[in-house]
Amino acid sequence: MNVFSSLETMAVSLLLLLLFALSGADGSHIVGGRDAAPHSRPFMASLQARGGHFCGGALVREDFVLTAAHCNMATPFTVVLGIDTLRGNEPAKQEFRVLNAIPHPNYNDFANDIMLLKLSGRAQLTEAVQVIPLKPGMLRTSSKCIIAGWGDIGDNRTLANRLQEVNVTILTRRACQGRWRDVPIISSMVCGEGAQSFQGFCSGDSGGPLVCDGGAAGVVSFSGRRCGDPRTPDVYSRISSFRTWINQVLESNSCEMNVFSSLETMAVSLLLLLLFALSEADGSHIVGGRDAAPHSRPFMASLQARGGHFCGGALVREDFVLTAAHCNMATPFTVVLGIDTLRGNEPAKQEFRVLNAIPHPNYNDLANDVMLLKLSGRAQLTEAVQVIPLKPGMLRTSSKCIIAGWGDIDDEETEANRLQEVNVTIMSRRACQGRWRDVPIIRSMVCGEGAQSFQGFCFGDSGGPLVCDGGAAGVVSFSGRRCGDPKTPDVYSRISSFRRWINQVLESN
């Protein structure tokens, strides 16, 4: 951020984007720094619009990135994780839309320059993508820290190929204020400088983390008219000053379980688990349905973590369960077969660890929302545990089907004792699209609705099968803000669109 003057901070992000577009740059890098070792900073995020990098950030929870408030943009932008270079398409790359940009409510030019970005899904934690902890306690003067980013490498639009990093030393606020003179350095700011002149952050590094003792201690905010100039030390938002606000935002986004809406599908799994743990529930059930006859749906699987149900699935081979990609979790989870109730220990119960979760390679928010789970063993087929075939051929409009699951029974966290099921009728894609309006209903989706209003799937039913003519025809994907609301019909991933991929995965295993 080459200036961040009081007259320009709010417009900087867009100006940088335009600058990079005009110069043909994907972004460049930190001044006076060095190449970071590949994936040595797995928490780093690149904020991008129209394929162009304009700010940095840090992954602080699988679904949240911390950045600077002045990086906010009026136009849609995305967050890219798992990359070292801004050029090419690295295998570890994960990209998400920004569902909600939450700047600090008291942000004003320089002050409170911090923002949280709610992602469209949960990042899959890998060697190249990791969450960074927030540094606890005070940040001592003279601490040795590191900053990293894809900002300008020489304050002259010079490009670099890889993520850059540089060591910085923390200054006292008094020393920093003495150099900045007319710009107030307040207690929620922290200053740092490189070992040499003209080392520090620059255009495109805004929002990146100041890393001290392995934790995020600051957020890149503003510098002087020349990048790394010791006369105007680099200034960061001090994270410890905003811990309460950060925790409030994260906590308020851990309990909002109103849908499987187009804005929340990827976060559903963990949120459900937290909700059920808080209410001491083992799960509840489908909206407007009925108890399924004991073991009448022997293909049904319950995905569980720490003993809590969070998604459904269907056994499609003795060692594989088909479910929704948005049911993937970063923490270990198991698959339970052969049960009617989530309470007690039924004699027919079989439980397996998930050895490998394989989401569709093109899964992106709502599209291609299917996943196969490789189990730690082969299920023993009994009266209570059976494989369901995949339905061959096309699924006709007005077909009568059934869904089953352990989701919420009435959209109010009401518990039920047994597996629930409900009849649904398949709709034409045109009719479904007419009701969903702004959410694209693509060919690989199929819609259904109950015979009455507010009949359908709900929290905890994700990943379960849509059963038509005795075969699995769909996978529960997303619905509207109210479960079973006919204004936003239930949407499933159409299994026939993924037969080739499913077969390839099964054959390769």
Side-chain angles (χ1 to χ4, degrees):
M1 296 306 303
N2 201 9
V3 188
F4 304 142
S5 74
S6 59
L7 299 178
E8 296 170 341
T9 51
M10 297 290 289
V12 160
S13 342
L14 185 56
L15 292 176
L16 281 170
L17 177 61
L18 294 172
L19 176 64
F20 290 163
L22 290 171
S23 64
D26 296 322
S28 44
H29 302 253
I30 274 184
V31 168
R34 59 188 178 270
D35 285 355
H39 303 306
S40 61
R41 310 294 174 201
F43 47 79
M44 286 299 298
S46 167
L47 278 53
Q48 299 187 8
R50 299 179 185 174
H53 168 90
F54 65 91
C55 269
L59 189 69
V60 294
R61 200 174 77 179
E62 289 94 327
D63 56 342
F64 266 94
V65 160
L66 184 66
T67 186
H70 76 257
C71 288
N72 203 4
M73 293 188 73
T75 56
F77 60 100
T78 61
V79 168
V80 179
L81 306 171
I83 59 173
D84 282 317
T85 176
L86 294 170
R87 299 175 178 177
N89 197 8
E90 298 182 47
K93 177 179 177 180
Q94 300 180 41
E95 186 165 7
F96 301 91
R97 288 183 298 107
V98 174
L99 295 186
N100 194 11
I102 310 168
H104 192 278
N106 297 324
Y107 168 57
N108 181 14
D109 292 346
F110 297 127
N112 308 302
D113 187 15
I114 193 165
M115 177 168 66
L116 282 161
L117 302 177
K118 168 71 170 170
L119 306 184
S120 58
R122 298 186 69 83
Q124 184 176 359
L125 300 187
T126 65
E127 183 180 355
V129 176
Q130 290 291 322
V131 169
I132 188 171
L134 304 185
K135 178 175 167 52
M138 295 297 291
L139 185 59
R140 295 187 306 276
T141 302
S142 301
S143 294
K144 304 299 182 183
C145 304
I146 283 178
I147 55 171
W150 290 276
D152 192 341
I153 197 171
D155 204 2
N156 57 4
R157 306 187 205 171
T158 306
L159 306 184
N161 290 323
R162 309 197 70 85
L163 179 71
Q164 299 287 291
E165 64 183 18
V166 70
N167 296 83
V168 296
T169 301
I170 302 305
L171 298 171
T172 67
R173 186 154 67 99
R174 177 178 294 179
C176 187
Q177 183 66 82
R179 299 194 209 171
W180 268 100
R181 298 183 182 175
D182 296 333
V183 175
I185 304 300
I186 60 178
S187 60
S188 61
M189 298 174 179
V190 61
C191 302
E193 63 179 352
Q196 303 172 19
S197 294
F198 304 107
Q199 280 190 323
F201 58 74
C202 202
S203 312
D205 293 320
S206 279
L210 172 70
V211 181
C212 308
D213 300 324
V219 173
V220 171
S221 183
F222 64 93
S223 65
R225 294 193 175 276
R226 292 193 62 189
C227 299
D229 190 337
R231 293 174 295 181
T232 50
D234 292 344
V235 182
Y236 308 81
S237 297
R238 187 192 298 269
I239 286 177
S240 61
S241 300
F242 301 99
R243 283 293 291 263
T244 299
W245 174 76
I246 291 169
N247 289 336
Q248 286 174 345
V249 173
L250 295 181
E251 288 170 6
S252 68
N253 281 271
S254 292
C255 299
E256 52 179 8
M257 289 304 305
N258 205 7
V259 252
F260 294 129
S261 76
S262 60
L263 301 181
E264 295 168 339
T265 49
M266 297 258 316
V268 159
S269 323
L270 185 57
L271 294 176
L272 281 168
L273 178 60
L274 292 171
L275 177 64
F276 291 162
L278 289 170
S279 63
E280 297 183 349
D282 295 301
S284 42
H285 302 254
I286 273 184
V287 167
R290 59 188 179 271
D291 285 355
H295 302 306
S296 60
R297 309 294 174 200
F299 46 79
M300 286 298 300
S302 166
L303 278 53
Q304 300 187 9
R306 299 178 186 174
H309 168 90
F310 65 91
C311 270
L315 190 69
V316 293
R317 200 173 77 179
E318 289 93 327
D319 56 344
F320 266 95
V321 160
L322 182 65
T323 186
H326 77 256
C327 289
N328 202 5
M329 291 188 73
T331 55
F333 59 100
T334 61
V335 168
V336 179
L337 306 171
I339 58 173
D340 283 317
T341 177
L342 294 169
R343 297 177 175 177
N345 197 8
E346 299 182 47
K349 177 180 177 180
Q350 300 180 40
E351 187 165 6
F352 301 90
R353 289 180 298 107
V354 174
L355 294 185
N356 193 13
I358 310 168
H360 192 278
N362 297 324
Y363 170 56
N364 182 14
D365 295 345
L366 306 181
N368 308 301
D369 189 14
V370 293
M371 177 169 66
L372 283 162
L373 302 177
K374 170 70 172 173
L375 307 184
S376 58
R378 297 183 70 86
Q380 183 178 359
L381 299 187
T382 65
E383 182 181 355
V385 176
Q386 290 290 322
V387 169
I388 188 172
L390 304 185
K391 178 174 167 51
M394 296 297 293
L395 186 59
R396 295 186 306 275
T397 300
S398 301
S399 294
K400 305 300 182 184
C401 305
I402 284 178
I403 55 171
W406 290 276
D408 192 340
I409 197 171
D410 60 4
D411 207 1
E412 293 181 358
E413 305 171 33
T414 307
E415 300 175 28
N417 291 321
R418 309 198 67 85
L419 179 70
Q420 298 286 291
E421 64 182 18
V422 69
N423 297 82
V424 296
T425 301
I426 301 305
M427 302 174 61
S428 71
R429 188 156 68 96
R430 177 178 295 180
C432 187
Q433 183 66 83
R435 298 196 206 170
W436 269 100
R437 296 182 182 176
D438 296 333
V439 175
I441 305 299
I442 59 178
R443 290 182 181 275
S444 60
M445 298 174 180
V446 61
C447 301
E449 62 180 350
Q452 303 172 21
S453 294
F454 305 107
Q455 280 189 322
F457 58 74
C458 202
F459 314 131
D461 294 319
S462 278
L466 172 70
V467 181
C468 308
D469 300 325
V475 172
V476 171
S477 184
F478 65 94
S479 66
R481 292 197 174 275
R482 291 193 62 191
C483 300
D485 191 337
K487 292 183 288 187
T488 49
D490 292 344
V491 182
Y492 307 82
S493 298
R494 187 191 298 270
I495 286 176
S496 62
S497 299
F498 302 99
R499 283 290 292 268
R500 180 176 297 180
W501 174 76
I502 292 170
N503 289 336
Q504 286 174 344
V505 173
L506 296 181
E507 288 169 6
S508 67
N509 282 270

